[in-house]
Amino acid sequence: MMNPTHPFFFHFFTFTTCFFLATSLAKQNEITKIPQIFREAPKFYNAPNCPSIVESDKNFYDDTDNNNNNNELVCSMEATHVAMTLDSAYIRGSMAAILSILQHTSCPQNIFFHFVVSVSASASASCLRTTIRDTFPYLNFRVYRFRDTAVAGLISTSIRSALDCPLNYARSYLADLLPPCVRRVVYLDSDLVLVDDIAKLAATSLGGDKVLAAPEYCNANFTSYFTPTFWSSPSLSLTFADRKACYFNTGVMVIDLRRWRAGDYTRKIEEWMELQKRMRIYELGSLPPFLLVFAGNIAPVDHRWNQHGLGGDNFRGLCRNLHPGPVSLLHWSGKGKPWARLDANRPCPLDALWAPYDLLKPSFSFDS
């Protein structure tokens, strides 16, 4: 008989507990993705030339810990800060993204992850936290609880229901959620992988006054992101009169949190969301408010850092090719996600580039 202290029983208990919690939450919150079991990732070590940071003897933080602002890694100027959201539906993509970041950076021990979870699914949030800790035992990270009520009354329906999730709007609240000592953060979506050192992206120059940096796509039809109601109103369309507004994808951004706080940009985004509830000036979730506030006034980032749209459009999610040029980050934005297409045996050619970072264990496959 197998020893009850064997790792099998621990993982099985964790999985079973999360299974029933997720099932219960599904009935209450329409959560349909059951938590999955992942392989433990290898530990990655800093290169000899990495800046030395004295780490605390505690590498995991609960947001009930009020003293962690004193932690040297959290507040160090040498740390690379990465913010992501976590939920049950996208956890598989998040795990792949984390692995790709650690694997391709020279200083993995200097990276600090800030994970934002929905407070309305607290049981699921606990499982997500455990999943991260078990899969990446040496990861420096902290979990923040985001209250859906902060934006629930501001969200209007969009062209794809997945875009209406309150957690999609958490990126607008990072300056409030993260410790004040965190000055700069790289925000990343969960449906991407990096094949280059994230420290290069984090070091993007923001100039003397820019709040955020992102790759711009000025060949995109910018007018399509807003409704005829918006463009027919002189007072609204003049919003872009004095700036060369271009589309940028909010799934990859470098944000100066000090400038964000000083400019009260969360409130500026909320004001556009409030107007949207009254007039319907856009159709696409959390992106347009960012465009309204920042388009034409951001620091540029090379397109290699967001080869976006690999998930196809928001309706059919058809296969797409890479844009011309070098690649540092692959982003499956759009309806089609690589893990779903692989599971359905209908992968797109580029999904093969995501597969090596997939840490999911096959069903009922446990270490002996």
Side-chain angles (χ1 to χ4, degrees):
M1 179 178 293
M2 188 178 291
N3 189 325
T5 62
H6 191 277
F8 168 87
F9 287 98
F10 172 78
H11 288 294
F12 182 76
F13 175 78
T14 302
F15 171 77
T16 305
T17 302
C18 288
F19 177 92
F20 286 111
L21 288 171
T23 302
S24 175
L25 286 167
K27 296 178 182 178
Q28 301 174 33
N29 300 323
E30 299 181 352
I31 296 176
T32 57
K33 193 72 171 180
I34 296 173
Q36 299 163 307
I37 299 178
F38 298 90
R39 303 189 305 275
E40 182 178 316
K43 183 177 181 179
F44 297 91
Y45 295 89
N46 282 356
N49 61 339
C50 291
S52 177
I53 298 176
V54 179
E55 297 185 50
S56 165
D57 59 355
K58 192 169 67 169
N59 70 351
F60 167 72
Y61 299 88
D62 190 319
D63 60 2
T64 58
D65 181 356
N66 296 319
N67 299 315
N68 51 48
N69 280 358
N70 293 325
N71 177 264
E72 294 188 31
L73 185 58
V74 175
C75 296
S76 172
M77 292 289 290
E78 302 293 349
T80 298
H81 294 275
V82 180
M84 302 175 67
T85 59
L86 289 181
D87 64 13
S88 299
Y90 285 84
I91 183 63
R92 188 171 169 188
S94 300
M95 305 299 262
I98 297 166
L99 177 61
S100 73
I101 293 168
L102 297 174
Q103 184 171 322
H104 292 286
T105 185
S106 297
C107 305
Q109 293 172 292
N110 290 4
I111 295 181
F112 197 97
F113 286 87
H114 304 266
F115 297 120
V116 182
V117 299
S118 171
V119 75
S120 66
S122 57
S124 179
S126 177
C127 290
L128 292 170
R129 174 192 299 158
T130 300
T131 298
I132 294 291
R133 185 176 55 197
D134 292 347
T135 307
F136 300 97
Y138 307 101
L139 196 70
N140 298 295
F141 75 97
R142 180 179 179 182
V143 174
Y144 306 81
R145 296 184 176 94
F146 177 67
R147 297 187 179 279
D148 294 359
T149 53
V151 294
L154 297 174
I155 297 175
S156 56
T157 56
S158 59
I159 61 176
R160 183 159 62 93
S161 59
L163 300 176
D164 300 339
C165 172
L167 199 58
N168 283 341
Y169 294 81
R171 70 195 79 188
S172 302
Y173 295 85
L174 292 176
D176 300 324
L177 292 168
L178 272 57
C181 63
V182 179
R183 300 183 176 186
R184 174 182 290 214
V185 68
V186 178
Y187 174 82
L188 298 174
D189 277 349
S190 298
D191 52 356
L192 53 78
V193 294
L194 280 82
V195 292
D196 202 344
D197 194 335
I198 193 171
K200 299 177 185 176
L201 176 61
T204 299
S205 173
L206 293 176
D209 60 350
K210 297 297 188 292
V211 177
L212 64 82
E216 291 183 295
Y217 301 90
C218 295
N219 292 330
N221 182 8
F222 189 80
T223 61
S224 65
Y225 292 97
F226 302 95
T227 64
T229 299
F230 176 86
W231 293 114
S232 64
S233 169
S235 61
L236 295 178
S237 59
L238 284 174
T239 301
F240 301 110
D242 59 348
R243 46 186 167 136
K244 184 183 178 182
C246 296
Y247 162 78
F248 66 92
N249 182 284
T250 54
V252 179
M253 298 184 291
V254 181
I255 305 174
D256 187 310
L257 296 176
R258 294 174 302 170
R259 294 176 183 173
W260 183 292
R261 296 178 184 115
D264 198 15
Y265 283 99
T266 296
R267 182 56 196 160
K268 292 176 181 178
I269 288 175
E270 287 180 336
E271 288 173 352
W272 283 112
M273 293 174 67
E274 290 168 354
L275 181 62
Q276 161 75 353
K277 294 289 288 187
R278 300 196 304 268
M279 295 183 61
R280 193 71 180 182
I281 57 176
Y282 54 79
E283 303 287 355
L284 192 64
S286 61
L287 168 64
F290 265 85
L291 297 179
L292 286 160
V293 174
F294 293 109
N297 193 29
I298 68 173
V301 176
D302 191 280
H303 288 181
R304 69 188 303 155
W305 287 105
N306 196 353
Q307 285 272 350
H308 70 289
L310 304 186
D313 60 29
N314 282 301
F315 297 100
R316 294 181 295 172
L318 299 178
C319 296
R320 287 184 176 174
N321 296 321
L322 290 175
H323 305 288
V327 179
S328 292
L329 184 152
L330 298 134
H331 188 185
W332 279 262
S333 56
K335 184 177 181 180
K337 303 306 174 188
W339 56 89
R341 296 193 293 216
L342 288 164
D343 286 351
N345 291 319
R346 295 197 304 269
C348 291
L350 291 176
D351 294 345
L353 299 177
W354 180 88
Y357 303 98
D358 186 11
L359 288 170
L360 182 71
K361 280 188 175 182
S363 299
F364 305 107
S365 174
F366 300 97
D367 296 334
S368 59

